[in-house]
Amino acid sequence: MLERGEVANTWRCERWDSLRLLTPNWLSRLPGVPYDGPDPDGYMTSAEVVELIARFAARIRAPVRAGTNVTRLRRTDDGYCVTTTRGDIRCRAVVIASGACSRATVPDFAHAVPASIKQVTPHDYRGPAALPEAGVLVVGASATGVQLAAELRRSGRPVILSVGEHVRLPRLYRGRDVLWWMHASGVWDERYDQVEDLKRARRLPSPQLVGTPERATLDLNALSAIGVELVGRWAAARDGRALFSGGLRNVCSLADLKMERLLGVFDEWALTVGLDAEVGTSERFAPTPVPQSPRVQLDLRSGEIRAIVWSTGFRPDYHWLDVPVIDAKGQLRHDGGVVDSPGLYALGLPVLRRRKSTFIHGIEDDAREVIDHLARYLAEANGAASVRA
Ligand SMILES: Cc1cc2nc3c(=O)[nH]c(=O)nc-3n(C[C@H](O)[C@H](O)[C@H](O)COP(=O)(O)OP(=O)(O)OC[C@H]3O[C@@H](n4cnc5c(N)ncnc54)[C@H](O)[C@@H]3O)c2cc1C
């Protein structure tokens, strides 16, 4: 196992200070390491996630070579050559588990933002103190964007939130964590080969959720209530101005509708399995109220905002991969983690084999199936080699 940093590196180095998991403790488990602390319904801090992963690595005696950066992977006659900062390694098979969120996605027009505005991504943001004491534009309203917008607003700064397509969810539904519903109803277990539009499912933004001791909902209504101004998707930058889409109402209506549909699925499931009487009564939530005419442009030179937080998503980083398995969009070509090159595998990507694939608890089922395939591949490859010998 090659790791450029230390075990659980992303949780040590790439998370902001206040971050807590949005998955509850009882769900954030690794194989053989269930949560056994005093607060199963709480949400771990990054330090607690580091502890969980380090404990797991020690338990399975993971053969980790820390501080070993992979700089190139290429095919050879009988497998692969992995070039690292500590020398080359030859092997028959490779599992790419380098993460789905290695790079923050930032739109091209970020270059057109005046130099007087500080720009940060969630990878460099640690807390409000590093930003000027002035207005902030947060771009993107998925889990990261809504959490950072709330934190910055609570620090006393005026905050504008640019909202594109998003997934609205209440923290609690019928008295239970909404992710309990995702898990128990089997929605999260839907397999990649049964998902209707897999490409779309793999691009789906993270849900508007935050893990707090109060188990509070953090949707756009909650943000408006603390004074965050909502604007549409940032579409272009021209003549020192940010131009926002006029479609804010549409994206909010769509998110409301999809949430209603999902809650309907949960209700139906509860009825079918006879849980209806055990959980709270069915709930419906008020639609997102959108300002009558949200502004469609912002003068970036006026001083109204002095910082931009790009919460526009993440993507993997395969610059070291010298095997032709990357598509035009920069994504790995694979079928459920079996990459389009013999002996090459992937884990930890969105909807790799199930809807839960990129979550911590999602790795167990995916890894078992991918490693089964890999073991069969090696057995066949070894069999063929001994016949040749
Ligand atoms: C902001 C944020 C919040 C999240 N919140 C949650 C949550 O609440 N609940 C949840 O279940 N999941 C959450 N996730 C998803 C979470 O990241 C995954 O569940 C889990 O950490 C993925 O583990 P991984 O090992 O697949 O990838 P990563 O954690 O990305 O680990 C990849 C590792 O590969 C190493 N690496 C990369 N490139 C190289 C190279 N070239 N050479 C050597 N080493 C390399 C990196 O240093 C890193 O340690 C969140 C993700 C983000 C970004």
Side-chain angles (χ1 to χ4, degrees):
M1 294 185 63
L2 308 179
E3 167 56 56
R4 63 183 168 193
E6 290 177 69
V7 168
N9 208 52
T10 54
W11 291 97
R12 293 175 196 269
C13 307
E14 294 177 7
R15 306 288 186 255
W16 55 96
D17 294 344
S18 64
L19 180 96
R20 280 177 182 270
L21 290 188
L22 50 80
T23 41
N25 290 337
W26 61 265
L27 186 61
S28 305
R29 57 182 177 228
L30 287 166
V33 187
Y35 180 80
D36 59 2
D39 186 17
D41 292 326
Y43 308 90
M44 285 177 212
T45 61
S46 298
E48 288 166 335
V49 181
V50 171
E51 198 275 326
L52 168 77
I53 297 174
R55 191 150 44 98
F56 177 71
R59 185 176 182 276
I60 63 160
R61 296 204 184 95
V64 180
R65 292 190 197 172
T68 308
N69 193 13
V70 175
T71 53
R72 189 176 178 211
L73 176 71
R74 67 181 169 84
R75 242 189 108 62
T76 59
D77 288 344
D78 58 352
Y80 294 90
C81 175
V82 189
T83 305
T84 83
T85 44
R86 298 195 170 189
D88 285 3
I89 299 169
R90 285 176 179 270
C91 48
R92 280 192 187 269
V94 174
V95 181
I96 300 172
S98 51
C101 302
S102 307
R103 295 245 177 267
T105 309
V106 174
D108 287 345
F109 53 72
H111 296 296
V113 171
S116 56
I117 293 184
K118 187 177 169 105
Q119 300 184 53
V120 295
T121 70
H123 280 174
D124 4 284
Y125 176 90
R126 286 292 167 273
L131 299 189
E133 293 273 358
V136 185
L137 172 61
V138 177
V139 189
S142 294
T144 302
V146 294
Q147 291 181 26
L148 299 189
E151 170 163 286
L152 288 160
R153 180 68 198 116
R154 290 196 184 105
S155 74
R157 291 164 174 79
V159 174
I160 303 172
L161 177 63
S162 167
V163 181
E165 188 191 352
H166 58 275
V167 178
R168 180 184 175 197
L169 282 182
R171 180 72 266 183
L172 298 179
Y173 182 62
R174 299 179 69 176
R176 304 225 175 163
D177 197 298
V178 75
L179 299 183
W180 175 83
W181 289 93
M182 292 287 286
H183 173 73
S185 67
V187 168
W188 249 345
D189 283 318
E190 191 182 3
R191 293 179 62 90
Y192 76 111
D193 42 12
Q194 289 163 358
V195 170
E196 211 171 286
D197 184 348
L198 183 59
K199 273 195 183 146
R200 197 178 146 66
R202 285 182 168 160
R203 283 200 317 264
L204 207 64
S206 55
Q208 288 175 336
L209 284 176
V210 64
T212 58
E214 305 77 38
R215 304 173 86 196
T217 291
L218 186 61
D219 57 10
L220 298 181
N221 293 351
L223 289 170
S224 296
I226 58 170
V228 171
E229 178 185 343
L230 307 181
V231 297
R233 184 170 184 279
W234 186 346
R238 203 168 302 140
D239 304 329
R241 287 172 186 274
L243 307 181
F244 303 117
S245 146
L248 178 61
R249 189 173 299 276
N250 287 350
V251 289
C252 291
S253 306
L254 199 64
D256 291 345
L257 190 78
K258 286 187 177 164
M259 178 181 71
E260 293 294 310
R261 244 191 251 150
L262 183 64
L263 300 182
V265 170
F266 296 159
D267 289 343
E268 218 175 287
W269 168 78
L271 206 59
T272 316
V273 297
L275 261 181
D276 206 43
E278 246 178 71
V279 287
T281 50
S282 185
E283 295 172 78
R284 285 300 172 262
F285 298 89
T288 309
V290 175
Q292 202 51 41
S293 38
R295 63 168 124 178
V296 289
Q297 51 176 289
L298 170 70
D299 186 350
L300 298 169
R301 290 166 304 198
S302 67
E304 182 178 353
I305 61 146
R306 301 268 308 284
I308 294 174
V309 181
W310 296 107
S311 311
T312 27
F314 300 97
R315 60 193 162 85
D317 176 10
Y318 299 124
H319 77 273
W320 46 272
L321 191 53
D322 195 5
V323 186
V325 288
I326 304 294
D327 70 16
K329 297 230 157 103
Q331 301 295 335
L332 202 59
R333 276 201 316 274
H334 70 92
D335 179 7
V338 180
V339 180
D340 203 5
S341 176
L344 196 54
Y345 295 86
L347 282 169
L349 299 177
V351 200
L352 184 102
R353 293 187 79 84
R354 291 169 180 78
R355 283 198 184 269
K356 64 183 178 188
S357 289
T358 30
F359 290 90
I360 290 169
H361 71 287
I363 190 62
E364 182 168 5
D365 290 343
D366 280 11
R368 194 183 306 111
E369 292 174 7
V370 168
I371 299 311
D372 272 356
H373 193 292
L374 184 151
R376 280 198 309 276
Y377 171 79
L378 284 183
E380 279 167 26
N382 288 338
S386 56
V387 168
R388 274 202 304 275

